[in-house]
Amino acid sequence: MSSMGELNFFLGLQVKQVKNGFFISQSKYVKSILERLKLADYTIARTPIQVNHQLSPDKNGQDTDKHQYRAKIGSLMYLTASRTDIMFAICLCARFQAAPKTSHLQAVKRIFRYLKGAPKRGLWNPKNEKFNLKTHLLAKQEANMCVHITSEAEYIAASSCCAQVTWIQNQMLDYGVTFMATPIHIDNKSAISITNNLVQHSKTKHIDIRYHFIRDQAEKKRIILTKVHTNEQYADLFTKAFVEARFKYLVEYIGMINFE
């Protein structure tokens, strides 16, 4: 291996290092795709998706070029490495790649209009701050585009989240960092009760045994399920559309800023 100096660019990610932290962005890539798509005349959008978007298969809608649609989705997917603020909007639009309609294309164009207004936004990682591991969990079931939240879905999602937390804990041991009692913030009280109740009963016996892994981890104090208010459920950023004020708050909370 050879030393090439300070890291500035890696696999399309721009890295800006300063005394109090480092900033990761893809502003050059954003600029290039906006120029390629000739979106200079488009108005700026303050959020990547409308609150009442009502996106659906739209079988009666007008067809649009599926190859161009998929190309746009692909270019946006690459941005999610640093632009978690557009994750929900992109994943929602990606569902309709098989038969995209004009309504879907308009939703994709709105994402680009949002990027036009915030091309330099990226992830800020401060130095000299206490390094903690915590998670926010939100599970949803969808049927006919209507969302139904159940305790079982939350419990199963919490178990999957616990598995990821355990993996991270084991990986960090290689760096001499020990994480115990990692909080998993969840807004469903019933899921917490199921986790902390080690006795199998009729309401949970139908759940696959592999999901009960979380009970063992909770008993060992490797994770702690914590009830949070819906307003403090920051995982909402990846599952819902918001008005500008709430969206801006969530984006700033996860460490996304504009860095000049």
Side-chain angles (χ1 to χ4, degrees), residues 162-176:
C162 177
Q164 294 294 323
V165 169
T166 303
W167 180 82
I168 294 174
Q169 289 175 337
N170 292 335
Q171 290 294 311
M172 294 307 294
L173 288 176
D174 294 338
Y175 299 94

Side-chain angles (χ1 to χ4, degrees), residues 18-50:
V18 293
K19 290 183 179 181
N20 60 336
F22 63 95
F23 179 74
I24 299 176
S25 70
Q26 292 173 279
S27 57
K28 291 183 179 179
Y29 178 73
V30 172
K31 182 180 179 180
S32 67
I33 59 176
L34 290 178
E35 290 177 348
R36 185 172 71 250
L37 296 174
K38 299 179 180 180
L39 300 176
D41 297 332
Y42 278 47
T43 57
I44 293 174
R46 298 299 180 184
T47 60
I49 190 170
Q50 292 180 341

Side-chain angles (χ1 to χ4, degrees), residues 137-140 151-162 211 214:
L137 172 69
L138 185 67
K140 291 192 173 183
S151 299
E152 179 183 337
E154 292 278 3
Y155 178 72
I156 292 173
S159 179
S160 299
C161 179
C162 177
Y211 295 120
I214 190 174

Side-chain angles (χ1 to χ4, degrees), residues 141-158:
Q141 290 183 328
E142 296 191 6
N144 298 323
M145 302 308 292
C146 294
V147 179
H148 303 281
I149 307 175
T150 66
S151 299
E152 179 183 337
E154 292 278 3
Y155 178 72
I156 292 173

